[in-house]
Every structure is written in C-alpha cells, then in structure tokens.
Coordinates of all heavy atoms in Angstrom, one line a residue:
M1 N 106.8 100.7 134.0 CA 106.3 99.9 132.9 C 106.9 100.5 131.7 O 106.8 101.7 131.4 CB 104.8 100.0 132.9 CG 104.1 99.0 132.2 SD 102.3 99.0 132.3 CE 101.9 99.2 130.6
I2 N 107.4 99.6 130.7 CA 107.7 100.0 129.5 C 106.8 99.7 128.5 O 106.2 98.6 128.4 CB 109.1 99.3 129.0 CG1 110.2 99.5 130.2 CG2 109.6 99.8 127.7 CD1 111.3 98.4 130.2
I3 N 106.4 100.8 127.6 CA 105.5 100.6 126.5 C 106.2 100.7 125.2 O 107.0 101.6 125.0 CB 104.4 101.8 126.6 CG1 103.7 101.7 127.9 CG2 103.5 101.7 125.4 CD1 102.7 103.0 128.0
F4 N 106.1 99.6 124.6 CA 106.7 99.5 123.2 C 105.9 100.0 122.2 O 104.8 99.4 121.9 CB 107.1 98.0 122.9 CG 108.2 97.4 123.8 CD1 107.8 96.8 124.9 CD2 109.5 97.8 123.5 CE1 108.9 96.2 125.8 CE2 110.5 97.2 124.3 CZ 110.2 96.5 125.6
W5 N 106.3 101.1 121.6 CA 105.5 101.5 120.3 C 106.5 101.9 119.3 O 107.7 102.0 119.5 CB 104.7 102.8 120.7 CG 105.5 103.9 121.1 CD1 105.8 104.1 122.4 CD2 106.0 105.0 120.4 NE1 106.5 105.4 122.6 CE2 106.6 106.0 121.3 CE3 105.8 105.4 119.1 CZ2 107.2 107.0 120.8 CZ3 106.4 106.5 118.6 CH2 107.0 107.4 119.5
G6 N 106.0 102.0 118.0 CA 107.0 102.3 116.9 C 106.1 102.5 115.6 O 104.9 102.7 115.9
S7 N 106.8 102.3 114.5 CA 106.0 102.5 113.3 C 106.7 101.6 112.2 O 107.6 101.2 112.4 CB 106.0 103.9 112.8 OG 107.3 104.4 112.4
K8 N 105.7 101.3 111.2 CA 106.1 100.3 110.3 C 105.8 101.0 108.8 O 104.7 101.3 108.8 CB 105.5 99.1 110.5 CG 106.2 97.8 110.4 CD 105.3 96.6 110.7 CE 105.0 95.8 109.6 NZ 104.1 94.6 109.9
G9 N 106.6 100.8 107.9 CA 106.1 101.3 106.5 C 105.3 100.2 105.8 O 105.5 99.1 106.1
Y10 N 104.3 100.7 105.0 CA 103.6 99.7 104.3 C 103.2 100.3 102.8 O 103.4 101.6 102.6 CB 102.3 99.4 105.0 CG 101.3 100.5 104.8 CD1 100.3 100.4 103.8 CD2 101.3 101.5 105.7 CE1 99.3 101.4 103.8 CE2 100.4 102.5 105.6 CZ 99.5 102.6 104.7 OH 98.3 103.5 104.5
T11 N 103.0 99.5 101.9 CA 102.6 99.8 100.6 C 101.5 99.0 100.1 O 101.5 97.8 100.4 CB 103.8 99.5 99.5 OG1 105.1 100.1 100.1 CG2 103.4 100.1 98.2
K12 N 100.5 99.6 99.5 CA 99.2 98.9 99.3 C 99.1 99.2 97.8 O 98.9 100.4 97.4 CB 98.2 99.2 100.1 CG 96.9 98.5 100.0 CD 96.0 98.8 101.1 CE 95.0 100.0 100.9 NZ 94.0 100.3 102.0
E13 N 98.7 98.3 97.0 CA 98.2 98.5 95.6 C 96.8 98.7 95.6 O 96.0 97.8 96.0 CB 98.7 97.4 94.6 CG 98.4 97.8 93.2 CD 98.9 96.6 92.3 OE1 99.8 95.9 92.6 OE2 98.5 96.7 91.1
L14 N 96.3 99.9 94.9 CA 95.0 100.2 95.0 C 94.3 99.8 93.5 O 93.1 99.7 93.5 CB 94.8 101.8 95.1 CG 95.4 102.3 96.3 CD1 95.2 103.9 96.4 CD2 94.7 101.7 97.6
G15 N 95.3 99.7 92.5 CA 94.7 99.3 91.2 C 95.6 99.6 90.2 O 96.8 99.9 90.4
H16 N 95.2 99.8 89.1 CA 96.0 100.3 87.9 C 95.1 100.9 86.8 O 93.8 100.9 86.9 CB 96.7 99.0 87.3 CG 95.9 97.9 86.8 ND1 95.1 98.1 85.6 CD2 95.4 96.8 87.4 CE1 94.3 96.9 85.4 NE2 94.6 96.2 86.5
T17 N 95.8 101.7 86.0 CA 95.2 102.5 85.0 C 94.5 101.6 84.0 O 94.9 100.4 83.8 CB 96.1 103.5 84.2 OG1 97.2 102.7 83.8 CG2 96.7 104.4 85.3
Q18 N 93.4 102.0 83.3 CA 92.8 101.2 82.2 C 93.5 101.2 80.9 O 93.5 100.5 80.0 CB 91.3 101.7 82.0 CG 90.6 101.7 83.2 CD 90.3 100.4 83.9 OE1 90.1 99.4 83.2 NE2 90.7 100.3 85.2
T19 N 94.4 102.3 80.8 CA 95.0 102.6 79.6 C 96.6 102.4 79.9 O 97.1 102.7 80.9 CB 94.8 104.1 79.2 OG1 93.5 104.3 79.2 CG2 95.4 104.4 77.8
S20 N 97.2 101.8 78.8 CA 98.7 101.7 79.0 C 99.3 102.9 78.7 O 99.1 103.8 77.9 CB 99.2 100.5 77.9 OG 98.7 99.3 78.1
I21 N 100.5 103.2 79.5 CA 101.1 104.4 79.6 C 102.6 104.0 79.0 O 103.2 103.1 79.7 CB 101.2 105.1 80.9 CG1 99.7 105.4 81.4 CG2 102.1 106.3 80.8 CD1 99.6 106.0 82.7
E22 N 103.2 104.9 78.3 CA 104.5 104.6 77.9 C 105.5 105.2 78.9 O 105.4 106.5 79.1 CB 104.8 105.2 76.4 CG 106.3 104.8 76.0 CD 106.7 105.3 74.7 OE1 105.8 105.7 73.9 OE2 107.9 105.4 74.4
C23 N 106.3 104.5 79.5 CA 107.2 105.0 80.4 C 108.3 105.6 80.0 O 109.0 105.4 79.0 CB 107.7 103.7 81.4 SG 108.8 104.2 82.6
G24 N 108.6 106.9 80.5 CA 109.5 107.8 80.0 C 111.0 107.3 80.5 O 112.0 107.8 80.2
H25 N 111.0 106.3 81.3 CA 112.2 105.8 81.9 C 112.7 104.5 81.4 O 113.9 104.4 80.9 CB 112.0 105.7 83.4 CG 113.3 105.5 84.2 ND1 113.5 104.2 84.8 CD2 114.2 106.3 84.6 CE1 114.6 104.3 85.4 NE2 115.1 105.6 85.3
C26 N 111.8 103.5 81.1 CA 112.2 102.3 80.5 C 111.7 101.9 79.2 O 111.9 101.0 78.7 CB 112.0 101.2 81.6 SG 110.2 100.8 81.9
N27 N 110.7 102.9 78.7 CA 110.0 102.8 77.5 C 109.1 101.5 77.3 O 108.7 101.3 76.2 CB 111.1 102.8 76.3 CG 111.9 104.0 76.3 OD1 111.3 105.1 76.4 ND2 113.1 103.9 76.0
N28 N 108.8 100.9 78.4 CA 107.7 99.9 78.3 C 106.4 100.5 78.3 O 106.2 101.5 79.0 CB 107.9 98.9 79.5 CG 109.0 97.9 79.5 OD1 108.9 97.0 78.5 ND2 110.0 98.1 80.1
V29 N 105.4 99.8 77.7 CA 104.1 100.4 77.6 C 103.2 99.5 78.3 O 102.9 98.2 77.9 CB 103.6 100.5 76.1 CG1 102.1 101.0 76.0 CG2 104.5 101.4 75.2
E30 N 102.8 99.8 79.5 CA 102.0 99.0 80.4 C 100.8 99.9 81.1 O 101.1 101.1 81.3 CB 102.9 98.4 81.5 CG 104.1 97.5 81.0 CD 103.8 96.1 80.8 OE1 102.5 95.6 81.3 OE2 104.4 95.3 80.3
P31 N 100.0 99.2 81.6 CA 99.1 99.9 82.6 C 99.9 100.2 83.9 O 100.5 99.3 84.4 CB 97.9 99.0 82.9 CG 98.0 97.9 81.9 CD 99.4 97.9 81.4
W32 N 99.7 101.5 84.4 CA 100.6 101.8 85.6 C 99.8 101.5 86.9 O 98.5 101.5 86.8 CB 100.9 103.2 85.5 CG 102.1 103.6 84.6 CD1 102.5 102.7 83.5 CD2 102.9 104.6 84.8 NE1 103.6 103.3 83.0 CE2 103.9 104.5 83.6 CE3 103.2 105.8 85.5 CZ2 104.9 105.5 83.5 CZ3 104.1 106.7 85.3 CH2 105.0 106.5 84.4
Q33 N 100.6 101.2 87.8 CA 100.0 100.9 89.1 C 99.7 102.1 90.0 O 100.4 103.2 89.9 CB 101.0 100.1 90.0 CG 101.5 98.9 89.5 CD 102.8 98.3 90.1 OE1 103.7 99.1 90.6 NE2 102.8 97.0 90.4
I34 N 98.6 102.1 90.8 CA 98.3 103.1 91.6 C 98.5 102.6 92.9 O 98.0 101.6 93.5 CB 96.8 103.5 91.6 CG1 96.7 104.1 90.0 CG2 96.4 104.6 92.5 CD1 95.3 103.8 89.3
M35 N 99.6 103.2 93.8 CA 100.0 102.8 95.1 C 99.6 103.8 96.2 O 99.7 104.9 96.0 CB 101.4 102.5 95.1 CG 102.0 101.7 93.7 SD 101.5 100.0 93.8 CE 102.5 99.3 95.2
E36 N 99.4 103.1 97.4 CA 99.4 103.8 98.5 C 100.5 103.6 99.4 O 100.8 102.4 99.6 CB 97.9 103.6 99.3 CG 97.8 104.4 100.7 CD 96.5 103.8 101.4 OE1 95.5 103.9 100.9 OE2 96.7 103.5 102.6
T37 N 101.2 104.6 99.9 CA 102.2 104.2 100.9 C 102.0 105.0 102.2 O 101.4 106.0 102.1 CB 103.7 104.5 100.3 OG1 103.8 105.9 100.2 CG2 103.9 103.8 98.9
G38 N 102.5 104.5 103.2 CA 102.4 105.3 104.5 C 103.1 104.5 105.6 O 103.9 103.5 105.3
R39 N 102.9 104.9 106.8 CA 103.4 104.2 108.0 C 102.3 103.9 108.9 O 101.1 104.6 108.8 CB 104.5 105.2 108.7 CG 105.6 105.5 107.8 CD 106.7 106.0 108.6 NE 107.3 105.0 109.4 CZ 108.3 104.2 108.8 NH1 108.6 104.3 107.6 NH2 108.8 103.4 109.7
K40 N 102.4 102.7 109.5 CA 101.5 102.5 110.5 C 102.0 102.5 111.9 O 103.1 102.1 112.2 CB 101.0 100.9 110.3 CG 99.9 100.9 109.3 CD 99.3 99.6 109.1 CE 98.2 99.6 108.0 NZ 98.0 98.3 107.3
F41 N 101.1 103.3 112.8 CA 101.7 103.3 114.2 C 101.4 101.9 114.8 O 100.4 101.1 114.6 CB 100.9 104.3 114.9 CG 101.0 104.5 116.4 CD1 102.2 105.3 116.7 CD2 100.3 104.0 117.2 CE1 102.5 105.5 118.0 CE2 100.6 104.1 118.6 CZ 101.7 104.8 119.0
T42 N 102.4 101.4 115.5 CA 102.4 100.2 116.2 C 102.5 100.2 117.7 O 103.3 101.0 118.2 CB 103.4 99.1 115.6 OG1 104.7 99.8 115.9 CG2 103.2 98.8 114.2
L43 N 101.8 99.4 118.5 CA 101.9 99.3 119.9 C 102.1 97.9 120.1 O 101.3 97.1 119.8 CB 100.6 99.9 120.4 CG 100.7 100.1 122.1 CD1 101.6 101.2 122.3 CD2 99.3 100.6 122.5
Y44 N 103.1 97.6 120.8 CA 103.5 96.1 121.0 C 103.6 95.4 119.7 O 102.9 94.2 119.6 CB 102.6 95.6 122.0 CG 102.8 96.1 123.4 CD1 101.9 97.0 124.0 CD2 103.9 95.8 124.2 CE1 102.1 97.6 125.2 CE2 104.1 96.4 125.5 CZ 103.2 97.3 126.0 OH 103.4 97.8 127.2
W45 N 104.1 95.9 118.6 CA 104.1 95.3 117.3 C 102.9 95.0 116.8 O 102.9 94.4 115.8 CB 105.1 94.0 117.4 CG 106.5 94.4 118.1 CD1 107.5 94.9 117.4 CD2 106.8 94.1 119.4 NE1 108.5 95.0 118.3 CE2 108.1 94.6 119.6 CE3 106.1 93.7 120.6 CZ2 108.8 94.6 120.6 CZ3 106.9 93.7 121.7 CH2 108.2 94.1 121.8
I46 N 101.8 95.6 117.2 CA 100.5 95.5 116.5 C 100.2 96.7 115.8 O 100.0 97.9 116.4 CB 99.4 95.2 117.6 CG1 99.7 93.9 118.4 CG2 98.0 94.9 116.8 CD1 98.9 93.8 119.7
P47 N 100.1 96.6 114.5 CA 99.8 97.9 113.7 C 98.3 98.4 114.0 O 97.4 97.6 114.1 CB 99.8 97.4 112.2 CG 100.4 95.9 112.3 CD 100.2 95.5 113.6
L48 N 98.3 99.7 114.5 CA 96.9 100.2 114.8 C 96.4 101.0 113.9 O 95.1 100.8 113.5 CB 97.3 101.0 116.2 CG 97.5 100.3 117.4 CD1 97.6 101.0 118.5 CD2 96.4 99.2 117.6
F49 N 97.0 102.0 113.5 CA 96.4 102.9 112.3 C 97.5 103.6 111.5 O 98.6 103.8 112.0 CB 95.5 104.0 113.0 CG 96.3 104.9 114.1 CD1 97.0 106.0 113.5 CD2 96.3 104.6 115.5 CE1 97.6 106.8 114.4 CE2 96.9 105.4 116.2 CZ 97.7 106.4 115.8
P50 N 97.0 103.8 110.2 CA 97.9 104.3 109.3 C 98.1 105.9 109.4 O 97.1 106.5 109.7 CB 97.6 103.9 107.9 CG 96.0 103.8 108.2 CD 95.8 103.4 109.5
Y51 N 99.2 106.5 109.1 CA 99.4 107.9 109.0 C 100.3 108.2 108.0 O 101.1 107.3 107.5 CB 99.7 108.5 110.3 CG 101.1 108.1 110.8 CD1 102.2 109.0 110.6 CD2 101.3 106.8 111.6 CE1 103.5 108.5 111.0 CE2 102.6 106.5 111.9 CZ 103.8 107.3 111.8 OH 104.9 107.0 112.1
G52 N 100.5 109.5 107.6 CA 101.5 109.9 106.6 C 101.2 109.3 105.3 O 102.2 108.9 104.6
K53 N 100.0 109.2 104.9 CA 99.7 108.4 103.6 C 100.0 109.3 102.5 O 99.9 110.5 102.4 CB 98.2 108.1 103.4 CG 97.7 107.0 104.3 CD 96.3 106.7 103.9 CE 95.6 105.9 104.9 NZ 94.1 105.9 104.7
S54 N 100.6 108.7 101.4 CA 100.7 109.3 100.1 C 100.4 108.4 99.0 O 100.5 107.2 99.1 CB 102.2 110.0 100.0 OG 103.1 109.1 100.3
Y55 N 100.2 109.0 97.9 CA 99.7 108.1 96.7 C 100.6 108.4 95.5 O 101.1 109.5 95.3 CB 98.2 108.6 96.4 CG 97.3 108.4 97.6 CD1 97.1 109.5 98.4 CD2 96.7 107.2 97.9 CE1 96.3 109.3 99.6 CE2 95.9 107.0 99.1 CZ 95.7 108.0 99.9 OH 95.0 107.9 100.9
Y56 N 100.7 107.3 94.7 CA 101.7 107.4 93.6 C 101.1 106.6 92.4 O 100.3 105.6 92.6 CB 103.0 106.7 94.0 CG 103.8 107.4 95.0 CD1 103.6 107.1 96.4 CD2 104.7 108.4 94.5 CE1 104.3 107.7 97.3 CE2 105.5 108.9 95.5 CZ 105.2 108.7 96.9 OH 106.0 109.4 97.8
V57 N 101.4 107.0 91.3 CA 101.2 106.1 89.9 C 102.7 105.8 89.7 O 103.5 106.6 89.5 CB 100.5 106.8 88.9 CG1 99.0 106.8 89.0 CG2 100.9 108.1 88.6
S58 N 102.9 104.6 89.3 CA 104.1 104.2 88.9 C 104.2 103.0 87.9 O 103.2 102.3 87.7 CB 105.1 103.7 90.1 OG 104.4 102.5 90.7
C59 N 105.3 103.1 87.2 CA 105.5 102.0 86.1 C 105.8 100.7 86.8 O 106.5 100.6 87.8 CB 106.8 102.4 85.3 SG 107.4 101.2 84.3
P60 N 105.1 99.6 86.4 CA 105.2 98.3 87.1 C 106.6 97.7 86.8 O 107.0 96.8 87.4 CB 104.1 97.4 86.5 CG 103.7 98.1 85.2 CD 104.1 99.6 85.3
V61 N 107.3 98.1 85.8 CA 108.5 97.5 85.2 C 109.7 98.1 86.2 O 110.4 97.4 86.7 CB 108.7 97.7 83.8 CG1 110.0 97.0 83.3 CG2 107.5 97.0 83.1
C62 N 109.7 99.4 86.1 CA 111.0 99.9 86.8 C 110.6 100.8 88.0 O 111.5 101.5 88.7 CB 111.8 100.9 85.7 SG 110.8 102.3 85.3
Q63 N 109.3 100.9 88.4 CA 108.8 101.6 89.5 C 109.0 103.2 89.4 O 108.8 103.9 90.3 CB 109.5 101.2 90.9 CG 109.6 99.7 91.0 CD 108.1 99.1 91.0 OE1 107.2 99.6 91.7 NE2 107.9 98.0 90.3
Y64 N 109.4 103.7 88.3 CA 109.4 105.1 88.0 C 108.0 105.6 88.0 O 107.0 105.0 87.5 CB 109.9 105.3 86.5 CG 109.9 106.8 86.0 CD1 111.0 107.6 86.4 CD2 109.0 107.1 85.2 CE1 110.9 108.9 86.0 CE2 108.9 108.4 84.7 CZ 109.9 109.3 85.2 OH 109.9 110.6 84.6
G65 N 107.8 106.8 88.7 CA 106.5 107.4 88.7 C 106.4 108.7 89.4 O 107.6 109.3 89.6
H66 N 105.3 109.2 89.9 CA 105.2 110.4 90.6 C 103.9 110.4 91.5 O 103.0 109.5 91.5 CB 105.1 111.6 89.5 CG 103.8 111.5 88.7 ND1 102.7 112.0 89.1 CD2 103.6 110.9 87.5 CE1 101.9 111.9 88.1 NE2 102.3 111.1 87.1
E67 N 104.1 111.2 92.4 CA 103.0 111.4 93.5 C 101.8 112.0 92.9 O 101.9 112.9 92.1 CB 103.7 112.2 94.7 CG 102.8 112.0 95.8 CD 103.4 112.7 97.2 OE1 104.6 113.0 97.1 OE2 102.7 112.9 98.2
I68 N 100.7 111.6 93.4 CA 99.3 112.2 93.0 C 98.5 112.5 94.4 O 98.9 112.1 95.4 CB 98.5 111.3 92.0 CG1 98.3 109.9 92.9 CG2 99.2 110.9 90.8 CD1 97.2 109.0 92.1
E69 N 97.7 113.4 94.1 CA 96.7 113.8 95.2 C 95.8 112.6 95.4 O 95.3 111.9 94.5 CB 95.8 114.9 94.8 CG 96.8 116.2 94.7 CD 97.4 116.7 96.0 OE1 96.9 116.5 97.1 OE2 98.7 117.1 96.0
K70 N 95.2 112.5 96.6 CA 94.2 111.6 97.0 C 92.9 111.7 96.0 O 92.4 110.7 95.6 CB 93.7 111.6 98.4 CG 92.8 110.6 98.9 CD 92.4 110.6 100.3 CE 91.5 109.4 100.7 NZ 91.1 109.3 102.0
S71 N 92.6 112.9 95.7 CA 91.5 113.2 94.9 C 91.6 112.8 93.4 O 90.8 112.7 92.7 CB 91.1 114.7 94.9 OG 92.2 115.5 94.4
E72 N 92.9 112.5 93.1 CA 93.2 112.1 91.6 C 93.2 110.5 91.5 O 93.3 110.1 90.3 CB 94.6 112.6 91.2 CG 94.7 114.1 91.1 CD 96.2 114.5 90.7 OE1 97.0 114.2 91.5 OE2 96.2 115.0 89.6
I73 N 93.0 109.8 92.6 CA 93.0 108.3 92.5 C 92.0 107.8 91.5 O 92.3 107.1 90.6 CB 92.8 107.7 94.0 CG1 94.1 108.0 94.8 CG2 92.7 106.2 93.7 CD1 93.8 107.7 96.2
E74 N 90.7 108.2 91.7 CA 89.6 107.8 90.9 C 89.9 108.2 89.4 O 89.7 107.3 88.5 CB 88.4 108.7 91.2 CG 87.6 108.1 92.3 CD 87.0 106.6 92.1 OE1 86.3 106.4 91.1 OE2 87.5 105.7 92.8
K75 N 90.5 109.3 89.1 CA 90.8 109.7 87.8 C 91.8 108.8 87.1 O 91.7 108.4 86.0 CB 91.3 111.1 87.9 CG 91.5 111.8 86.5 CD 92.2 113.2 86.7 CE 93.7 113.2 86.5 NZ 94.2 114.5 86.8
Y76 N 92.8 108.4 87.9 CA 93.8 107.4 87.3 C 93.2 106.0 87.2 O 93.6 105.3 86.4 CB 95.1 107.4 88.3 CG 96.0 108.7 87.9 CD1 95.9 109.8 88.7 CD2 96.8 108.5 86.7 CE1 96.8 110.9 88.3 CE2 97.6 109.6 86.4 CZ 97.5 110.8 87.3 OH 98.4 111.7 86.8
L77 N 92.3 105.5 88.2 CA 91.8 104.2 88.1 C 91.0 104.0 86.8 O 90.7 103.0 86.4 CB 90.9 103.9 89.3 CG 91.6 103.6 90.6 CD1 90.6 103.5 91.7 CD2 92.3 102.2 90.4
N78 N 90.4 105.2 86.3 CA 89.6 105.2 85.2 C 90.2 105.8 83.9 O 89.6 105.9 82.9 CB 88.2 105.9 85.4 CG 87.5 105.4 86.5 OD1 87.1 104.3 86.3 ND2 87.1 106.1 87.5
Y79 N 91.5 106.0 84.1 CA 92.4 106.6 83.0 C 92.4 105.8 81.7 O 92.9 104.4 82.1 CB 93.6 107.0 83.4 CG 94.6 107.7 82.6 CD1 94.4 108.9 82.1 CD2 95.6 107.1 81.8 CE1 95.2 109.6 81.1 CE2 96.5 107.7 81.0 CZ 96.3 108.9 80.5 OH 97.0 109.6 79.6
Ligands
ZN101 ZN1 109.4 102.1 83.6

C-alpha cells in the first residue's frame, strides 16, 4: 500500500498595525501587515496540521519586513 503524504506552504494574514509605518525600502507610509507563514502536513492531499510557523510584519506595498516572535503579535496588532 502506498501512502501519499507531503506538505504545503501557506500564508495567513492576522491583521495589521493601527499606526502607519514608513517603509525603509519603498518609502510608502501604510499600516503594515502581520502575517503567519508555515507549512501544512498533508495526507492524500488533505491538509492536516500546520508546523514550522513563523510570523512577520511586512510592508503591504513591497512586502519588505522582518520576522517577529509569536509573543510580539499582540504588540504589533495594537501598535
Ligand atoms: Zn515597502
């Protein structure tokens, strides 16, 4: 019997900052996005559970940004 398993990358938007931030890359002033990215373990192409999560704040215009800790998400959502 062959078991098909694999993984799939995903990105989820968690929200955005309350304050506009000037991007050091494209100079646009916008609220930045807070993103979760990771991979989902799949069995027979059905996504089962996520792993390897990481969190980012990024500029919505050019996607420039940096990684943050899970504990910092609240702080950025209220920034
Ligand atoms: Zn930018």
Side-chain angles (χ1 to χ4, degrees):
M1 193 175 129
I2 302 164
I3 297 174
F4 290 97
W5 62 273
S7 69
K8 222 172 114 177
Y10 75 96
T11 306
K12 191 166 87 180
E13 189 177 338
L14 301 175
H16 55 80
T17 59
Q18 303 301 309
T19 310
S20 296
I21 298 172
E22 187 179 344
C23 178
H25 190 251
C26 67
N27 298 317
N28 281 289
V29 182
E30 299 277 349
W32 279 26
Q33 298 166 322
I34 298 145
M35 312 292 289
E36 175 187 311
T37 69
R39 300 195 70 80
K40 276 185 179 157
F41 180 80
T42 59
L43 191 63
Y44 295 101
W45 302 281
I46 302 162
L48 290 183
F49 57 86
Y51 67 94
K53 285 187 197 173
S54 48
Y55 304 93
Y56 294 88
V57 280
S58 66
C59 169
V61 180
C62 68
Q63 310 304 316
Y64 172 83
H66 62 91
E67 192 172 351
I68 58 171
E69 296 295 324
K70 191 178 182 182
S71 58
E72 293 180 293
I73 296 169
E74 277 299 301
K75 192 180 94 185
Y76 279 98
L77 283 170
N78 295 308
Y79 181 76

